[in-house]
Amino acid sequence: MVTKIALAGNPNSGKTTLFNDLTGSNQYVGNWPGVTVEKKEGKIQGHEDTILMDLPGIYSLSPYTLEEVVTRNYLINEKPNAIINIIDGSNLERNLYLTTQLLELGIPVIVAINMMDIVKKRGDKIDTAKLSKAIGCEIVEITALDGTGTKELINKVVKLAQNPKKKVPKGIFSLEVEKALSTIEDQLPKEISITQRRWYAIKLFERDKNVLKELNIASNLDGIITFVENTLDDDSESIIINERYNYITKTIKGIYVKKNGSDLTTS
Ligand code: GDP
Ligand code: K
Ligand code: MG
């Protein structure tokens, strides 16, 4: 059986560099159906039954850009066996915004912190063990440019794909939001699998136009969403965005350690 691994991350996080390192010349390049967004897949060297998909670079899984829609449709509909979320270690805080969303899809995620050569040259350190524990997924430090750490990454992701461990991150959203999400989850159609229910509930709470169109159950949910919006005095999409950022700011304290001893968020 073929194992499918998806490579997801912000633009310029090193996706293509890592993709080339892992697949060599063993690549197929085309376009996603109906759009002029590049589609690139390839067999991973040394793991010939494993396909790597280089997804378009994105900052979020919202429905506003073609790249975001292509990426989320692929992840939801094609259900890859695992995701490598490549992040720029020198821009940790901004990159983790997408990470929190990828962790909600019900697909096992491994985080590859790239650009470690830059982090090290600055004399800085990332407490990956602490971050890994906080967000509930494995992390590997890499330098895609020279291949440092990429063997370890691929061995770990292949293992994860064959023996999936999926943990939903806890503590991102407030109690008010969590309560609404679980009510929405209960009202989702039975056909939606257990692993994808949280993703759909969050998207419905945000009034995501693509998911609303797909599921067509909006009317029963509006009261639940409006109640939270009135309680927290903001629109539901902004509530989710703000709670994500607050979670990341809190989580990252003490994790990016600068040479002079201070950490990223207190400088
Ligand atoms: P993508 O947009 O995510 O596909 O990113 P690219 O693979 O095109 O990389 C963006 C830029 O970062 C390029 O100039 C790469 O050479 C550079 N880059 C990628 N990985 C590394 C790395 O580990 N260290 C350093 N210093 N630069 C890197
Ligand atoms: K690029
Ligand atoms: Mg690229």
Side-chain angles (χ1 to χ4, degrees), residues 98-115:
L98 177 64
T99 306
T100 61
Q101 299 176 61
L102 294 171
L103 289 167
E104 284 155 3
L105 288 162
I107 302 166
V109 176
I110 193 159
V111 169
I113 302 187
N114 191 30
M115 314 272 181

Side-chain angles (χ1 to χ4, degrees), residues 11-12 14-17 38 40 54-57:
N12 293 317
K15 276 188 314 310
T16 300
T17 308
E38 187 182 76
K40 247 168 114 176
D54 185 16
L55 293 169

Side-chain angles (χ1 to χ4, degrees), residues 1 19 31 50 54 73 78 114 120 124 148 154 172 174 187 193 195 201 216 219 226 234 251:
M1 212 188 74
F19 181 84
N31 273 313
T50 305
D54 185 16
N73 286 352
E78 303 301 318
N114 191 30
K120 284 184 178 143
D124 299 345
T148 304
I154 213 58
I172 295 184
S174 60
Q187 298 195 23
S193 69
T195 53
N216 205 19
S219 51
T226 308
D234 209 345
T251 302

Side-chain angles (χ1 to χ4, degrees), residues 140-151:
V140 182
E141 295 184 4
I142 65 165
T143 298
L145 205 55
D146 65 9
T148 304
T150 58
K151 271 244 157 62

Side-chain angles (χ1 to χ4, degrees), residues 192-204:
I192 296 176
S193 69
I194 291 183
T195 53
Q196 293 188 331
R197 293 180 87 80
R198 187 170 171 85
W199 152 265
Y200 275 105
I202 294 168
K203 292 291 130 187
L204 285 174

Side-chain angles (χ1 to χ4, degrees), residues 5-11 13 15 53 55-62 67-76 79-88 94-112 135-138 160 165-169 172-173 195-196 198-200 202-203 206 240 244 247-248:
I5 314 276
L7 185 54
N10 289 8
S13 56
K15 276 188 314 310
M53 176 69 76
L55 293 169
I58 49 164
Y59 296 104
S60 168
L61 292 176
S62 57
E67 286 79 5
E68 288 169 344
V69 173
V70 162
T71 297
R72 52 188 252 172
N73 286 352
Y74 176 80
L75 294 172
I76 284 292
K79 301 185 188 76
N81 301 87
I83 298 171
I84 297 173
N85 172 213
I86 181 167
I87 69 182
D88 176 354
R94 192 181 66 184
N95 279 245
L96 285 171
Y97 183 67
L98 177 64
T99 306
T100 61
Q101 299 176 61
L102 294 171
L103 289 167
E104 284 155 3
L105 288 162
I107 302 166
V109 176
I110 193 159
V111 169
I135 63 175
C137 83
E138 264 190 289
L160 181 66
K165 280 177 237 132
K166 288 170 245 170
K167 268 199 267 172
V168 172
I172 295 184
F173 302 123
T195 53
Q196 293 188 331
R198 187 170 171 85
W199 152 265
Y200 275 105
I202 294 168
K203 292 291 130 187
E206 292 176 318
I240 293 289
R244 269 191 215 289
Y247 166 82
I248 292 164

